[in-house]
Amino acid sequence: MNVMINDVKAKGRNYTVPLITITLLFFMWGFITCMNDILIPYLKQLFNLSFFESMLVQFCFFGAYFIGSLIYFLISSTQGDPIDKVGYKKGILFGIFLAALGCVLFYPAASFASYGLFLGALFILGLGFTVLQITANAYVSLLGPEESASSRLNMTQAFNAFGTTIAPVLGGHLIFELFSAPDGSFSAAATKIPYLIFAGILLLVALLISRVKLPDFQVKGEEIVKGFGALQHNHLKFGVLAMFCYVGGEVAVGSFIISFLEQPQVMNLSEVVSKNYLSLYWGGAMIGRFLGAISLNQSISQGKKALYMLGAAAAVFLVIFSIVNLTFAQISFFLVFI
């Protein structure tokens, strides 16, 4: 699919600032997505849920991905690509506002202590992230040469994984410790302040994106494949199946780590301790994405790639190990500093 740039001067533009801005967004939505792994054991205890009932958290959240993507596909197939009509920037801002709304809805859900309202808030949050997946991923692929698009996507996804790595430590402290009931028992109110904070950060990111001049890309409408024509390609169909299996396995493992490790017959760990193992799990995914970004970079030699990959793996592991072992105050200072 050919892409044209409305502003001809944009062809020689430096995309560093737009890419950094979008990478910040990737980090934030990775952080909030991983908070589901904290919510599952928390809501399970709070509402006395079975494992099946507690996993409705992920069902509603990622079900929104399926429903939102299906709706987008049907609209694109019949009416044309909505992002092509409104632009990537407006599409990204809409996704952020929708995600922020989902975070705000945690407040009434906690006030009424209703599991159904929590699931509804998660569905809205998932719809917001669906729009971001559709717009931001495609946008990153356009911020530079076509041959390095896969490397850029892996790099931004690596920072998305960085968000999922520190979320269990920071988010777990917020919900399991800082905003829990004075007697240490679980309370729905513990989710109010954290998710209002997340909504505020998302809105700040939206403000930043609205102020940063992002290059305007547009897909040539006459070259868009409508209907189910794209599904005629076998590699696309197998790719969809592969992503379904991969995401299902990845999410399932992360969702059950805390509940699994707290079982008496397993390790009998508390949620406060188990969340650190969850951070290590998502940290492993972060290492893989950084290595993928290096391996897909065609501008460096194979020898340098091997050296950079070994160095990156060691450095990222040390960062993960430090994050898991730092206190909440130390991590907060570190994030503010960087």
Side-chain angles (χ1 to χ4, degrees):
M1 183 182 297
N2 293 329
V3 175
M4 65 178 181
I5 305 176
N6 289 341
D7 183 359
V8 177
K9 295 181 181 179
K11 290 184 179 180
R13 185 178 300 169
N14 189 321
Y15 296 133
T16 302
V17 173
L19 187 58
I20 291 175
T21 306
I22 299 301
T23 300
L24 176 63
L25 175 61
F26 272 75
F27 165 81
M28 197 59 213
W29 101 52
F31 186 102
I32 298 176
T33 297
C34 192
M35 284 299 298
N36 291 355
D37 297 337
I38 300 296
L39 284 176
I40 289 171
Y42 189 84
L43 296 177
K44 181 177 182 293
Q45 295 287 338
L46 179 64
F47 294 106
N48 194 26
L49 305 172
S50 65
F51 279 109
F52 175 82
E53 291 170 330
S54 65
M55 284 303 292
L56 289 176
V57 166
Q58 299 290 33
F59 179 82
C60 288
F61 183 81
F62 286 100
Y65 274 54
F66 173 75
I67 293 174
S69 299
L70 180 61
I71 293 174
Y72 190 92
F73 173 76
L74 293 175
I75 293 175
S76 300
S77 300
T78 56
Q79 307 296 324
D81 190 352
I83 299 301
D84 184 43
K85 297 178 179 179
V86 303
Y88 282 98
K89 186 172 184 176
K90 290 182 180 179
I92 290 172
L93 290 174
F94 175 73
I96 295 176
F97 289 135
L98 195 57
L101 173 62
C103 290
V104 170
L105 290 177
F106 272 75
Y107 194 93
S111 298
F112 290 103
S114 169
Y115 187 49
L117 289 179
F118 274 111
L119 296 180
L122 284 162
F123 184 82
I124 300 299
L125 181 59
L127 284 178
F129 286 165
T130 301
V131 177
L132 291 178
Q133 290 278 8
I134 293 171
T135 54
N137 277 296
Y139 191 72
V140 167
S141 68
L142 301 177
L143 291 176
E146 182 180 351
E147 58 272 15
S148 61
S150 57
S151 179
R152 289 194 302 278
L153 281 168
N154 269 277
M155 182 57 68
T156 52
Q157 288 291 348
F159 281 94
N160 181 274
F162 180 53
T164 66
T165 300
I166 68 172
V169 181
L170 277 173
H173 179 83
L174 290 173
I175 292 181
F176 289 136
E177 300 175 76
L178 189 61
F179 293 109
S180 61
D183 60 358
S185 61
F186 288 173
S187 168
T191 61
K192 288 182 177 180
I193 302 302
Y195 275 86
L196 286 180
I197 293 173
F198 300 155
I201 295 175
L202 283 173
L203 293 177
L204 286 176
V205 173
L207 178 62
L208 176 62
I209 290 176
S210 68
R211 296 298 179 88
V212 172
K213 183 171 178 57
L214 300 178
D216 185 18
F217 298 101
Q218 184 180 14
V219 179
K220 292 183 178 181
E222 68 271 12
E223 297 192 17
I224 296 176
V225 179
K226 294 187 176 182
F228 294 87
L231 295 178
Q232 295 175 0
H233 301 282
N234 287 329
H235 62 276
L236 176 61
K237 291 186 286 188
F238 288 127
V240 170
L241 178 61
M243 286 299 297
F244 173 82
C245 295
Y246 160 72
V247 174
E250 178 187 58
V251 170
V253 172
S255 300
F256 282 117
I257 283 180
I258 294 179
S259 297
F260 178 74
L261 294 179
E262 70 179 359
Q263 296 297 310
Q265 66 273 25
V266 181
M267 294 187 68
N268 197 29
L269 299 178
S270 66
E271 289 86 357
V272 175
V273 177
S274 298
K275 64 179 174 56
N276 294 331
Y277 288 89
L278 176 62
S279 183
L280 288 172
Y281 168 72
W282 287 114
M286 178 173 67
I287 290 177
R289 290 191 172 103
F290 274 113
L291 297 187
I294 296 172
S295 66
L296 291 170
N297 191 323
Q298 304 300 319
S299 62
I300 57 179
S301 65
Q302 293 297 323
K304 287 185 177 180
K305 280 185 182 181
L307 183 62
Y308 291 162
M309 290 172 72
L310 286 173
V316 174
F317 175 79
L318 290 175
V319 170
I320 298 168
F321 184 81
S322 301
I323 289 173
V324 170
N325 288 279
L326 288 176
T327 64
F328 176 77
Q330 290 171 324
I331 295 173
S332 300
F333 175 80
F334 170 74
L335 291 176
V336 171
F337 179 76
I338 62 175

